[in-house]
């Protein structure tokens, strides 16, 4: 009987707590980093580890880098297909939450995508030529350690999905697009032909 | 609130009484009983909800009940119809979800009891839940002439599976000069640009293989998703607008509204200003009016329109507390019935359920849609949008940004979007099933 009384108290306490919660329900809890970042995962993969050859893995990239990319997408400075339309949908604070969330995740090198029929396979011979090209064009001045290095201005490119890298080097060489990175990388890009840039993509994709 | 009360009720009544509340009558010490979530339907919505609940709170026990052991994806299935993709690439399974600790049960849910908080299956099992996710996708309304017999000859193939392959065979069996009739449904329905992507890819196939054949789209609607971009592409690729156009689109106002189907005659009849007009085709692809999956209807989760009204901040049903409806079956306040929207809604539901089971307020939701359509294997277009929930307009999600691919984009952009489409598929399927 004594025990039962105590339990009754627990019930009352529970109800009170519930009522307090109900009272607070007019204002929803704030939006969280995972809530925002998970909306990206349909394309960029769970926790930012992409499963699609043309979608970049963004897990573990520096938050500051991700924030600047999103700002450039939203302003149109960085050309895109859909990212500009999406980036405009978030406030600066929300972008910061998204960037922090992906920065916390652990990078994983791209794996094969057996159910992709359009994916380009890494070609070892091309990768070798690409390695030479990165040396002659001094890509490794910023993309140090064969592309493993990353900082606030430089994304990791080693082990990134090949088709994403192919698109990016094609964009760099495309005068119609005016890619902002092309300014910084101009000297290097000018030195390399489209074929050599393709080889560079194969090289970085082949790195771990 | 309900959950809190119920848990304390279990505590109060003690372990012996609680036995009756657990599934299979497995004895459990009530104080240690895990919170249970049951998910009905393992597609773009349900599978994601199950996985993301487990990722957010591994203490929650999640059981996914799905009728079919293999899952066939609708996105990219139009490529199969047009003969440039193998159906095997559309096939997925539930092994990946098991690695997240989701209990997967292959069985059909036949009944939901919101009062007792349990679901019953065709296999004769009962599952108790603290929160239920219902993600059954769509079913189809009855339509004059489209009975079981007619459905053997005239396919909709609006759920990917064996019919997708049969439709591809019907297309391949057409003689040069034959007509492919595609009947597009009235809004709302699964995959708004889907019928037009299918028409495009069928036209691509015909252009290459049966150049005298045509695609006739008979539409209940006055306009359709991504219409400007589709028509621009059709003009470029298939002579749209000219006398020799491979694709002809007839809107509802111009006599495109189909009123009955006749499988014996291989014909559909439209209403042309009060007069019935007969259209015959060697291949008829009839997409009937859509409705929420049958289980949602029998569980009393639908409104008079056949869709499930939900609170747009959590996707909890307005009909029954503790039940969350995601994906195509929901009345989603302006979001399209797309795989990506279902994925996004499922993550909101996962967060809301985990918050509520832990006695917390659900956070503010965020929704995204990203959807690609193909006009040929080298020609992709897209639509993307971001939405929020605004308590001031609770019946409609608030669009923060949106847009479609630019008009008159250079060929390389269309080609890039085609490859993005396939990569989108790879990534979202991994997000769903791995």
């Amino acid at each position: 009987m004594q025990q039962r009384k105590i339990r009754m108290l627990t019930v009352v306490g529970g109800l009170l707590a519930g009522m307090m919660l109900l009272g607070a329900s007019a204002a929803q809890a704030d939006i969280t980093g995972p809530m925002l970042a998970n909306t990206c995962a349909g394309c960029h993969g769970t926790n930012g580890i992409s499963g699609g050859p043309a979608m970049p893995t963004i897990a573990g990239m520096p938050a500051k880098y991700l924030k600047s990319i999103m700002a450039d997408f939203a302003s149109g400075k960085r050309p895109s297909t859909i990212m500009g339309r999406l980036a405009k949908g978030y406030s600066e604070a929300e972008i910061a939450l998204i960037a922090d969330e992906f920065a916390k995740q652990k990078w994983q090198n791209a794996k094969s995508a057996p159910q992709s029929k359009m994916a380009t396979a890494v070609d070892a011979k091309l990768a070798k030529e690409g390695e030479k090209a990165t040396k002659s064009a001094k890509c490794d001045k910023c993309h140090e350690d064969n592309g493993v290095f990353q900082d606030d201005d430089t994304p990791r490119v080693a082990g990134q999905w090949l088709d994403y890298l192919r698109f990016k080097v094609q964009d760099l060489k495309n005068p119609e697009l005016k890619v902002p990175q092309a300014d910084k990388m101009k000297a290097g890009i000018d030195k390399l032909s489209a074929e050599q840039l393709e080889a560079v993509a194969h090289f970085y994709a082949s790195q771990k | 609130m309900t959950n809190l009360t119920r848990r304390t009720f279990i505590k109060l009544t003690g372990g012996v009484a609680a036995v009756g509340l657990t599934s299979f009558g497995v004895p459990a010490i009530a104080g240690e009983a895990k919170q249970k979530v049951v998910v009905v339907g393992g597609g773009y919505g349900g599978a994601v909800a199950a996985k993301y609940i487990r990722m957010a709170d591994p203490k929650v026990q999640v059981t996914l009940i799905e009728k079919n052991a293999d899952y066939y994806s609708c996105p990219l299935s139009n490529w199969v119809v047009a003969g440039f993709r193998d159906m095997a690439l559309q096939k997925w399974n539930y092994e990946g979800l098991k690695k997240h600790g989701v209990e997967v049960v292959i069985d059909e849910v036949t009944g939901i009891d919101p009062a007792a908080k349990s679901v019953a299956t065709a296999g004769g099992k009962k599952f108790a839940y603290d929160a239920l996710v219902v993600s059954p996708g769509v079913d189809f309304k009855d339509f004059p002439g489209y009975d079981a017999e007619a459905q053997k000859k005239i396919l909709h193939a609006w759920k990917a599976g064996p019919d997708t392959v049969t439709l591809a065979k019907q297309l391949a069996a057409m003689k040069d000069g034959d007509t492919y009739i595609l009947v597009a449904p009235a809004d709302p329905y699964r995959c708004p640009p889907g019928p037009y992507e299918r028409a495009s890819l069928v036209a691509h196939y015909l252009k290459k293989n049966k150049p005298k054949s045509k695609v006739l789209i008979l539409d209940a609607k006055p306009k359709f998703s991504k219409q400007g971009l589709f028509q621009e592409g059709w003009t470029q690729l298939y002579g749209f607008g000219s006398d020799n156009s491979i694709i002809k689109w007839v809107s509802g106002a111009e006599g495109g509204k189909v009123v009955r189907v006749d499988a014996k005659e291989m014909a559909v009849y439209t209403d042309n200003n009060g007069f019935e007009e007969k259209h015959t085709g060697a291949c008829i692809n009839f997409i009937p009016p859509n409705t929420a999956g049958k289980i949602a209807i029998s569980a009393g989760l639908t409104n008079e329109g056949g869709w499930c009204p939900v609170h747009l901040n959590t996707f909890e049903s307005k009909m029954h507390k503790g039940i969350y409806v995601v994906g195509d079956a929901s009345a989603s306040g302006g979001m399209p019935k797309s795989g990506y929207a279902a994925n996004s809604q499922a993550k909101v539901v996962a967060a809301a359920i985990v918050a509520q089971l832990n006695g917390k307020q659900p956070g503010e939701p965020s929704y995204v849609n990203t959807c690609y359509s193909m006009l040929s294997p080298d020609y992709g277009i897209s639509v993307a949008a971001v939405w929020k929930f605004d308590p001031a307009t609770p019946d409609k999600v608030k669009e923060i940004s949106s847009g479609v691919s630019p008009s008159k984009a250079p060929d390389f952009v269309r080609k890039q979007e085609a490859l993005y489409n396939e990569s989108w598929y790879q990534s979202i399927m991994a997000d769903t099933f791995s």
Side-chain angles (χ1 to χ4, degrees), chain B residues 89-109:
Chain B
L89 300 173
Q90 298 300 105
K91 188 174 159 182
W92 301 84
N93 63 50
Y94 297 96
E95 295 308 307
L97 287 185
K98 291 178 188 167
K99 288 182 196 141
H100 289 279
V102 176
E103 184 198 358
V104 179
V105 176
I106 303 302
D107 201 344
E108 185 177 5
V109 172

Side-chain angles (χ1 to χ4, degrees), chain B residues 7 35 50-51 59 65 81 102-103 111 120 148 150 157 167 171 177 246 280 288 292 301 310 333 346 351 401:
Chain B
R7 256 182 297 159
Q35 305 259 46
K51 170 177 162 178
K59 295 192 300 299
I65 309 173
V81 173
V102 176
E103 184 198 358
L167 183 60
L171 172 64
I246 301 174
T280 54
L301 292 165
V310 292
S401 75

Side-chain angles (χ1 to χ4, degrees), chain A residues 115-118, chain B residues 44 73-82 84-87 89-90 160 164 191 197 201 372-374 418-426 428-429:
Chain A
Q115 276 168 299
S116 169
K117 288 296 147 197
M118 293 160 94
Chain B
Y44 279 78
S73 164
C74 277
L76 273 69
S77 69
N78 283 336
W79 306 23
V80 178
V81 173
F84 65 95
R85 187 173 174 86
D86 190 337
M87 194 62 184
L89 300 173
Q90 298 300 105
T164 310
C191 191
E197 178 188 69
L201 297 182
Y372 290 91
S373 303
M374 300 285 268
L419 185 49
Y420 279 132
N421 187 354
E422 205 220 26
S423 282
W424 170 98
Y425 174 77
Q426 290 296 135
I428 198 166
M429 295 326 275

